[in-house]
Amino acid sequence: MSLDDLYREVILAHYKRPHNHGELPGADIAIEGKNPACGDELKLQLKLSEGKVSEVRFSGHGCAISQSSASMMTDQLKGKTLDEAFQLAEDFKSMIRGERKAQMPGDLEALRGVTKFPVRVKCATLAWSTLQYAISEQRTSGRLATGYVER
Amino acid sequence: MTELQQVRYGQVAAPTANWTAEEVRHHFPILARKVHGKPLIYLDNAATSQKPRMVLEALNQYYKRHNANVHRGVHTLAAEATQAFEVARAKVARFINAPSPEQVIFTRGTTEAINLVAYAWGLENLRSGDEIVVTEMEHHSNLVPWHLAARRTGATIKAIPITIDGKLDLDQARQLIGPKTRLVAVAHVSNVLGTINPIEELTALAHARGALVLVDGAQAVPHMPVDVPAMGADFYAFSSHKMCGPTGAGVLYGRRELLEAMPPFLGGGEMISEVYIDRSTYNVLPYKFEAGTPNIAQAIGLGAGVDYLSALGMERIHQVERELVAYAYERMRQVEGLQLYGPGPSERAGLVAFNLPGVHPHDLATFLDQDGIAIRAGHHCAQPLMRALKVQSTARASFYFYNAADEVDALVASLQRAKEYFGHVLG
């Protein structure tokens, strides 16, 4: 186990210059995710067009792992249906837990090293769990969830 | 009748008067451990301290030879357990100079001790319009119980702000503590800033306005001589596990007349005098506040911890830590860009909260952990203080008397390398 497994160059690059960072006025889905144990917070905003994600932004603060994971996630969401987005989150979380071996798309593969740092798993999954919560709430209750709290 | 057997756990070999960290480290078996192949450098003592062999032996001996429930058995083990439990209470009372052991109530920890006061005293005495004065540097455990009490009674909460150098703003305190103030709840030592607060000035101020003072001593009792009556505290709370004792034990000290006037906190066995189907009368102090089977082994373990600390001498412990934190502060100040919080080393207890700009404290803590260095990162259960400092979180190195200067050197070297490691991308 080495620190370089965790802090890959591409992760630190996303941390320093996050993609799709900022506010998205008129978003169809807007939700804030928190991990009270460590204080990480992020806001996720999505616009939908014809059932697919057309625009996505995130903002917030947290460690390199949580912020880069959110940044990488936003890169992957555009053009996906909510079902596809939900499934990608499942796949990602399964990889982070060390269960899924298949290659992940884009930069996401860089986060696989988190599997060796169990205490940092929730940093990596915060953005994805927040996304899943927003989607599942809309599916089950038709309401827009505004907050997700990691436990 | 033969004499009752005592819980025997040996004694620490009397160290020289001017003992050093190197001379006492070997009392702590865990400090010989390695983490990620490196010698453990444990700098998270404000969260919990490590335990000397004496305390481990006390727990072991109690369970191996004396285990029984306290206060109600006629048999020998019950008598021995009761004696050991009460001897521990007397040791704790002497340690903080409480006038009598009845004023030492065993709780689960500082948090439960403060909740006891918030419920038993607060719900009984607070009214709508009353004010509770806290400070911006309080741990959540000295804030949330007051939120709960205030919500039920209609009392309001005000906070003494901190100054730019991380001390209590006493001018503001004089304004805030007024005729409506019923209670001032304040930390003796801040768990983030390390500030040692002027408790005597605050109790004088509060008492002059007719208010009581509860002191959260969790970060003070382990590290310096504490004379609770001398500082004028009406209530004083602290935890065993930060002072070489086990988790699960804590103490509430209270002034006798206050404790006697308060209704019980929890109801159940042990805290009663007589019980009928629809009513009961209560036991005397301290049992009125100790419902149910207490954490017997943990209280005895705390007693052993107090014996250990007393053998080393609290004056010497305080001195050793002051020298170490002065050294740490100076070394850390020389790390370019490192942001330190709180007052200068002459006015602080043995901990330093810090941030490396551009590097999140959790990433820093993971980096240091790879070097075997245990620090804490986060909001330290002090979110209002984080807001006052305008940060989301900080890293914190907290020392105890067994930490040596070469461990500070290792911390500083690791911080330098973390700066380089994250710096080449984060700039």
Side-chain angles (χ1 to χ4, degrees):
Chain A
M1 179 169 74
S2 139
L3 270 182
D4 296 336
D5 294 335
L6 185 63
Y7 296 110
R8 305 274 299 272
E9 201 82 19
V10 59
I11 292 176
L12 295 176
H14 273 274
Y15 181 50
K16 189 177 183 191
R17 292 191 192 78
H19 303 178
N20 306 302
H21 197 261
E23 298 293 319
L24 188 57
D28 297 301
I29 293 178
I31 184 167
E32 287 180 37
K34 279 187 187 189
N35 184 347
C38 66
D40 283 359
E41 291 180 5
L42 64 87
K43 186 154 116 188
L44 185 63
Q45 294 170 296
L46 293 95
K47 267 191 189 174
L48 302 175
S49 173
E50 296 171 0
K52 290 180 176 172
V53 177
S54 57
E55 277 188 84
V56 54
R57 294 271 188 284
F58 86 100
S59 59
H61 51 79
C63 65
I65 305 304
S66 76
Q67 300 299 294
S68 64
S69 183
S71 173
M72 291 176 189
M73 180 181 86
T74 58
D75 278 346
Q76 296 299 321
L77 291 183
K78 267 178 232 171
K80 287 201 165 52
T81 66
L82 291 183
D83 283 349
E84 288 165 347
F86 194 93
Q87 185 55 46
L88 182 65
E90 272 309 291
D91 292 348
F92 177 82
K93 287 166 76 173
S94 164
M95 171 191 79
I96 292 294
R97 287 193 300 263
E99 295 157 7
R100 189 177 195 275
K101 306 296 178 204
Q103 180 88 10
M104 293 297 293
D107 292 340
L108 295 177
E109 189 61 28
L111 283 164
R112 193 180 287 276
V114 175
T115 54
K116 295 177 189 168
F117 292 79
V119 298
R120 305 303 298 273
V121 161
K122 283 188 174 172
C123 309
T125 56
L126 178 61
W128 300 87
S129 296
T130 303
L131 172 71
Q132 283 191 316
Y133 188 74
I135 295 171
S136 63
E137 277 296 287
Q138 201 175 36
R139 273 183 190 158
T140 54
S141 65
R143 279 179 305 132
L144 283 179
T146 55
Y148 168 78
V149 179
E150 181 73 69
R151 270 177 286 268
Chain B
M1 182 180 159
T2 53
E3 236 175 74
L4 293 175
Q5 289 184 19
Q6 311 222 341
V7 181
R8 298 199 185 281
Y9 45 82
Q11 284 184 327
V12 57
T16 56
N18 289 321
W19 52 262
T20 62
E22 287 81 359
E23 287 175 69
V24 297
R25 280 182 70 82
H26 66 91
H27 299 152
F28 295 79
I30 205 171
L31 296 180
R33 212 205 121 145
K34 290 194 169 180
V35 172
H36 303 306
K38 313 264 175 62
L40 167 66
I41 295 178
Y42 185 76
L43 303 179
D44 194 18
N45 293 286
T48 197
S49 80
Q50 296 304 346
K51 323 301 175 197
R53 202 170 281 108
M54 247 174 91
V55 168
L56 305 177
E57 186 61 15
L59 298 172
N60 203 9
Q61 284 300 317
Y62 169 71
Y63 278 124
K64 272 162 84 170
R65 293 191 50 82
H66 312 281
N67 178 52
N69 210 331
V70 291
H71 295 139
R72 61 203 84 163
V74 175
H75 59 80
T76 299
L77 292 192
E80 288 178 0
T82 302
Q83 175 178 274
F85 184 69
E86 292 304 329
V87 163
R89 191 193 307 276
K91 283 174 182 170
V92 172
R94 268 199 306 279
F95 193 66
I96 59 168
N97 202 26
S100 76
E102 292 82 54
Q103 288 165 266
V104 167
I105 295 155
F106 281 131
T107 65
R108 208 157 46 83
T110 304
T111 298
E112 188 178 288
I114 297 173
N115 274 275
L116 193 162
V117 179
Y119 281 85
W121 178 85
L123 297 187
E124 194 78 1
N125 290 283
L126 293 170
R127 300 281 175 273
S128 179
D130 287 348
E131 291 175 358
I132 302 163
V133 173
V134 297
T135 85
E136 263 183 346
M137 65 171 81
E138 294 312 305
H139 189 284
H140 294 164
S141 62
N142 204 17
L143 291 172
V144 183
W146 305 116
H147 299 167
L148 297 171
R151 205 176 67 181
R152 292 208 196 169
T153 59
T156 54
I157 298 172
K158 293 183 164 182
I160 302 169
I162 55 167
T163 60
I164 195 105
D165 56 348
K167 295 193 270 185
L168 288 180
D169 186 333
L170 291 179
D171 289 335
Q172 287 286 322
R174 281 179 205 103
Q175 303 295 315
L176 284 165
I177 301 171
K180 290 182 183 169
T181 308
R182 299 299 311 280
L183 181 90
V184 177
V186 57
H188 194 165
V189 171
S190 161
N191 69 315
V192 178
L193 301 167
T195 316
I196 303 171
N197 286 320
I199 300 299
E200 285 178 39
E201 280 184 68
L202 289 167
T203 54
L205 208 54
H207 291 161
R209 305 281 199 279
L212 300 178
V213 178
L214 176 139
V215 181
D216 167 2
Q219 300 293 347
V221 178
H223 303 284
M224 59 188 72
V226 168
D227 184 331
V228 173
M231 71 180 74
D234 299 289
F235 298 106
Y236 195 99
F238 57 100
S239 296
S240 154
H241 71 94
K242 295 187 200 290
M243 52 189 288
C244 294
T247 53
V251 170
L252 175 69
Y253 158 91
R255 264 177 43 219
R256 180 184 286 277
E257 58 270 35
L258 294 170
L259 293 175
E260 280 178 346
M262 280 155 59
F265 173 40
L266 301 173
E270 191 59 37
M271 50 73 68
I272 46 79
S273 174
E274 286 184 72
V275 177
Y276 304 90
I277 288 297
D278 59 348
R279 69 202 144 86
S280 46
T281 57
Y282 310 128
N283 206 336
V284 296
L285 291 178
Y287 311 113
K288 182 169 85 174
F289 294 108
E290 294 181 359
T293 297
N295 288 348
I296 304 164
Q298 289 76 1
I300 292 167
L302 168 59
V306 163
D307 278 347
Y308 176 77
L309 294 174
S310 301
L312 263 51
M314 291 310 295
E315 288 286 357
R316 179 63 188 159
I317 286 172
H318 190 41
Q319 190 187 3
V320 165
E321 286 184 31
R322 283 178 78 100
E323 285 167 13
L324 188 69
V325 78
Y327 179 68
Y329 192 87
E330 198 47 42
R331 290 289 326 261
M332 292 169 80
R333 221 163 53 88
Q334 288 163 7
V335 178
E336 204 191 326
L338 197 70
Q339 174 80 43
L340 307 182
Y341 303 98
S346 64
E347 296 173 284
R348 69 159 68 216
L351 63 92
V352 183
F354 58 96
N355 264 321
L356 199 53
V359 183
H360 192 277
H362 279 111
D363 296 317
L364 197 53
T366 292
F367 186 96
L368 295 176
D369 182 58
Q370 293 297 303
D371 283 344
I373 303 172
I375 62 154
R376 184 143 290 239
H379 52 58
H380 312 293
C381 295
Q383 288 179 6
L385 177 59
M386 295 294 114
R387 279 181 212 111
L389 295 173
K390 299 188 172 60
V391 296
Q392 297 298 336
S393 56
T394 78
R396 179 188 72 187
S398 55
F399 308 102
Y400 212 5
F401 55 83
Y402 44 66
N403 290 124
D406 61 356
E407 293 181 305
V408 170
D409 295 339
L411 168 69
V412 170
S414 194
L415 285 173
Q416 292 283 15
R417 286 192 292 105
K419 237 179 87 172
E420 287 160 28
Y421 185 84
F422 292 109
H424 73 283
V425 177
L426 301 174

